[in-house]
Amino acid sequence: MPFVTEDYGVCYPGEKINLKKGDIIAVKPFLTNTRYNLVFPPLSILSTECNRKLFSTIWVDGVKINGKEQVIMLDGNIEVSGEIEVLSPEMLAAYTAKKILGNTKLRIDDKNHGIIIIGIENKPIISVNNRQVIIHTKMRQEILVPLAYSVFYFISSEYSEEI
């Protein structure tokens, strides 16, 4: 649970495309004061590059990117369409992604590379293999990359217990 200072700002899900070391991806909703008290949804990004600056220091349930994470993106070989399926119900960020993506069409790699966390039509979108998170498409990176990083909160105590 990272401690976030006033030099950070908040971006809504999908607003910040390029993540960098030090950015934080929220895995649960959080309340903050960015001129007004607002509740931001999971998948929001806290970064020094976001425009909605914080007016106070806060704690956020989230993943702070440290550069050691292994997120692998695969090229697609088949096309699937429909709503994404959240196969791990404790991942609130996945429900945010599902709402944003709606009925979507993606070109995915359909090979199973581990445990499927997020799928579509019984095919993998995001899976976990050991300490690697695999994104089975290069499409919709603005949503799926932060979602992939949010998986680390659940698979590694390093992120869920950070103080």
Side-chain angles (χ1 to χ4, degrees), residues 25-38:
I25 295 101
V27 297
K28 295 181 181 174
F30 64 96
L31 175 69
T32 188
N33 185 347
T34 57
R35 187 174 292 164
Y36 305 102
N37 283 330
L38 294 174

Side-chain angles (χ1 to χ4, degrees), residues 110-134:
D110 66 338
K111 293 181 191 83
N112 189 352
H113 295 281
I115 299 168
I116 300 171
I117 304 293
I118 309 295
I120 192 168
E121 292 185 356
N122 296 317
K123 306 281 189 222
I125 300 296
I126 295 178
S127 63
V128 176
N129 189 3
N130 294 324
R131 295 182 62 93
Q132 294 179 332
V133 177
I134 301 157

Side-chain angles (χ1 to χ4, degrees), residues 38-159:
L38 294 174
V39 175
F40 287 90
L43 278 189
S44 295
I45 297 173
L46 293 104
S47 173
T48 55
E49 297 175 351
C50 292
N51 293 331
R52 291 174 201 84
K53 293 297 180 188
L54 300 177
F55 285 107
S56 62
T57 303
I58 60 172
W59 291 96
V60 174
D61 278 314
V63 172
K64 187 172 191 173
I65 298 174
N66 63 28
K68 299 176 194 170
E69 301 87 0
Q70 289 187 302
V71 174
I72 298 168
M73 293 181 67
L74 303 174
D75 280 323
N77 59 0
I78 66 165
E79 197 168 279
V80 294
S81 61
E83 281 196 352
I84 65 170
E85 303 156 352
V86 181
L87 303 174
S88 193
E90 69 279 355
M91 284 196 54
L92 297 180
Y95 293 101
T96 302
K98 180 177 181 172
K99 181 72 174 174
I100 291 169
L101 295 175
N103 195 358
T104 191
K105 186 183 287 185
L106 299 171
R107 187 161 183 76
I108 66 164
D109 180 312
D110 66 338
K111 293 181 191 83
N112 189 352
H113 295 281
I115 299 168
I116 300 171
I117 304 293
I118 309 295
I120 192 168
E121 292 185 356
N122 296 317
K123 306 281 189 222
I125 300 296
I126 295 178
S127 63
V128 176
N129 189 3
N130 294 324
R131 295 182 62 93
Q132 294 179 332
V133 177
I134 301 157
I135 306 172
H136 293 256
T137 183
K138 291 193 175 181
M139 299 174 76
R140 298 306 307 260
Q141 290 182 33
E142 75 281 4
I143 300 298
L144 295 177
V145 170
L147 182 58
Y149 276 101
S150 73
V151 171
F152 287 102
Y153 182 85
F154 300 97
I155 67 171
S156 174
S157 62
E158 177 183 346
Y159 296 95

Side-chain angles (χ1 to χ4, degrees), residues 2-19:
F3 184 66
V4 187
T5 59
E6 292 91 353
D7 55 332
Y8 276 75
V10 183
C11 292
Y12 283 111
E15 276 186 339
K16 187 172 189 312
I17 295 177
N18 297 317
L19 299 177

